[in-house]
């Protein structure tokens, strides 16, 4: 019995970690929720683990802010709130993880500056102007930490997506830390989307250098020539790489590889700033995954047969209901509210359970 209990605890903890990850598949999430319904012991352990992860996430954010503040000002920040209690093994593991992250960032050295956290809730967008004149627009469910000194401008991309319009300043590079790498620019406009440890950079205007996190930005990086790679560029992660406007680069944390291509319609990657998403010959599964980012209720495809339907549509983001209605008119599907979220079905298919 004891071994069984330990096994269930391990499985429930692993499940909580998976559901806490942004790249979990809908099929995995449904399987986990189904097991919670079937096994009350598993559900209890799963909920405990999920709450612990939330507490550790809050604690990590506070520790990171404290570290940035201390490095900038040279003194500890007054504690604003008590940290939540957490199991000893979880705390110990998180201390190691946070220490590694903070050590690798090596953020700032000048006193007298401030570090600010900016966040958006699901479905929310927010635009902020930094003291140097740069503008950052945060997309749904995002969080960044930003700090400016006399010599450095630096942003930590914690989660989500953001569009950066960087004010020109030759003496102060502007660096975004994401997924263990640094993206450094001067006067540039680019979009960054983070998914777990992976990320995608869409360079709308100007040039940026991708390099080792915490290291000095390269003065003369190796510029990626996509003209020599008309089918796209793929390579193991390199130490540093220069990107030109029109380039979309994706870093896959699992394979430690980068892929890049020239996107003649790169402007579509920032249409979310105007409150819309455009899809041109995209599978319905991709469209639903994108809309789910803006919905407080999970949107899931319940009929696998419709997942590959090609979609040509522009959807407004100010109302998920309106966006789904537009999608219903564009392709042969039905959208049905359920107790657990929103179901996407084939047009002629009745839902099994509301």
């Amino acid at each position: 019995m004891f071994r069984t209990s330990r096994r269930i605890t391990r499985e429930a903890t692993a499940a909580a970690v998976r559901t806490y990850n942004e790249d979990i598949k809908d099929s995995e999430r449904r399987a986990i929720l189904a097991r919670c319904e079937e096994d009350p012991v598993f559900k209890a352990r799963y909920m405990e683990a999920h709450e612990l992860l939330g507490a550790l996430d809050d604690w990590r954010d506070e520790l990171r802010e404290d570290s940035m503040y201390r490095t900038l000002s040279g003194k500890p920040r007054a504690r604003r709130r008590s940290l939540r209690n957490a199991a000893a093994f979880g705390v110990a593991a998180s201390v190691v993880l946070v220490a590694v992250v903070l050590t690798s960032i090596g953020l700032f050295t000048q006193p007298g500056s401030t570090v600010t956290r900016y966040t958006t809730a699901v479905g929310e967008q927010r635009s902020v102007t930094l003291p140097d004149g740069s503008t950052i627009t945060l997309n749904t469910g995002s969080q960044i930490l930003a700090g400016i000194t006399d010599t450095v401008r630096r942003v930590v991309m914690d989660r989500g997506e953001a569009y950066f319009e960087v004010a020109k300043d030759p003496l102060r590079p502007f660096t975004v830390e994401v997924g263990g790498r640094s993206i450094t620019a001067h006067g540039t406009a680019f979009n960054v989307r983070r998914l777990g440890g992976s990320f995608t950079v869409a360079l709308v205007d100007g040039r940026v250098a991708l390099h080792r996190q915490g290291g000095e930005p390269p003065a003369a990086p190796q510029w990626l020539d996509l003209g020599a790679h008309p089918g796209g560029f793929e390579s193991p992660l390199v130490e540093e790489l220069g990107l030109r406007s029109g380039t979309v680069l994706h870093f896959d944390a699992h394979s430690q590889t980068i892929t890049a291509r020239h996107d003649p319609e790169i402007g579509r990657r920032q249409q979310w700033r105007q409150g819309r998403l455009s899809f041109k010959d995209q599978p319905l599964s991709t469209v639903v995954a994108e809309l789910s980012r803006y919905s407080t209720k999970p949107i899931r495809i319940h009929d696998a047969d419709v997942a590959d339907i090609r979609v040509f549509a522009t959807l407004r983001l100010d109302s998920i209901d309106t966006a789904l209605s537009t999608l219903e008119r564009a392709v042969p599907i039905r959208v049905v509210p359920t107790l657990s979220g929103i179901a996407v079905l084939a047009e002629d298919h009745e839902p099994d359970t509301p």
Side-chain angles (χ1 to χ4, degrees):
M1 180 67 70
F2 178 68
R3 290 183 178 178
T4 300
S5 178
R6 288 179 58 186
R7 175 179 58 79
I8 292 175
T9 299
R10 287 196 302 271
E11 293 172 352
T13 301
V17 170
R18 285 297 300 142
T19 54
Y20 217 75
N21 198 332
E22 294 180 358
D23 63 358
I24 185 173
K25 298 179 180 178
D26 279 346
S27 57
E28 290 182 83
R29 192 185 301 275
R30 288 197 298 269
I32 291 170
L33 294 178
R35 183 167 179 187
C36 285
E37 293 297 323
E38 297 169 358
D39 187 344
V41 176
F42 177 88
K43 181 177 182 179
R45 299 294 178 267
Y46 169 81
M47 295 301 295
E48 290 171 0
H50 209 277
E51 290 177 5
L52 174 60
L53 285 169
L56 294 178
D57 207 27
D58 288 349
W59 189 31
R60 180 204 61 182
D61 292 340
E62 186 164 336
L63 284 175
R64 182 175 288 185
E65 285 189 49
D66 287 347
S67 176
M68 293 175 72
Y69 181 89
R70 184 166 53 252
T71 312
L72 283 161
S73 65
K75 60 184 179 181
R77 184 181 62 162
R79 180 66 64 196
R80 292 176 301 170
R81 62 180 186 272
S82 299
L83 298 175
R84 299 182 186 178
N85 293 326
F89 76 91
V91 172
S94 295
V95 168
V96 173
L97 175 62
V98 172
V100 169
V101 171
L102 293 177
T103 300
S104 66
I105 289 175
L107 284 168
F108 305 103
T109 57
Q110 297 295 322
S113 300
T114 59
V115 177
T116 306
R117 184 201 309 202
Y118 301 102
T119 63
T120 53
V122 173
E124 179 188 10
Q125 294 177 0
R126 177 184 182 188
S127 184
V128 297
T129 301
L130 301 183
D132 70 321
S134 297
T135 301
I136 305 175
T137 305
L138 276 69
N139 202 358
T140 175
S142 302
Q143 176 170 287
I144 63 171
L145 295 172
I148 305 291
T149 74
D150 291 338
T151 59
V152 176
R153 300 176 292 172
R154 198 170 298 254
V155 173
V156 175
M157 187 85 185
D158 227 14
R159 64 173 181 266
E161 183 174 22
Y163 184 79
F164 299 86
E165 296 175 283
V166 180
K168 292 184 178 181
D169 187 340
L171 301 180
R172 290 191 298 175
F174 188 102
T175 298
V176 178
E177 310 283 5
V178 57
R181 306 299 291 174
S182 292
I183 304 166
T184 297
H186 287 279
T188 306
F190 59 100
N191 195 87
V192 179
R193 178 172 172 180
R194 178 169 187 166
L195 185 64
S198 304
F199 62 86
T200 299
V201 183
L203 185 52
V204 176
D205 184 50
R207 298 184 178 190
V208 300
L210 180 70
H211 57 98
R212 179 173 53 84
Q213 181 172 295
E216 288 293 324
Q222 175 187 352
W223 294 100
L224 177 59
D225 181 12
L226 288 175
H229 304 275
F233 174 82
E234 182 172 357
S235 166
L237 183 63
V238 294
E239 187 69 14
E240 61 183 48
L241 193 65
L243 307 178
R244 296 182 173 92
S245 61
T247 301
V248 176
L249 179 141
H250 177 73
F251 168 64
D252 187 285
H254 298 293
S255 63
Q256 289 291 297
T257 58
I258 55 175
T259 56
R261 64 182 178 86
H262 178 74
D263 186 352
E265 298 183 350
I266 200 167
R268 290 191 299 112
R269 293 180 175 269
Q270 53 160 325
Q271 284 186 331
W272 57 265
R273 298 169 58 217
Q274 285 77 48
R276 66 181 187 272
L277 294 176
S278 290
F279 300 95
K280 184 178 180 181
D281 197 22
Q282 296 292 310
L284 181 64
S285 57
T286 297
V287 177
V288 169
E290 285 297 300
L291 286 179
S292 293
R293 299 173 57 211
Y294 300 86
S295 175
T296 55
K297 297 179 181 179
I299 308 172
R300 301 188 181 95
I301 294 177
H302 283 228
D303 283 337
D305 292 343
V306 304
D308 293 329
I309 292 177
R310 313 308 289 187
V311 177
F312 295 81
T314 297
L315 307 177
R316 299 293 306 178
L317 295 174
D318 50 358
S319 168
I320 290 298
D321 290 340
T322 301
L324 290 171
S325 295
T326 302
L327 192 59
E328 278 186 305
R329 292 192 296 271
V331 292
I333 61 169
R334 294 179 62 242
V335 177
V336 179
T338 69
L339 293 177
S340 59
I342 300 171
V344 178
L345 310 167
E347 191 174 36
D348 57 355
H349 186 196
E350 291 295 331
D352 296 329
T353 303

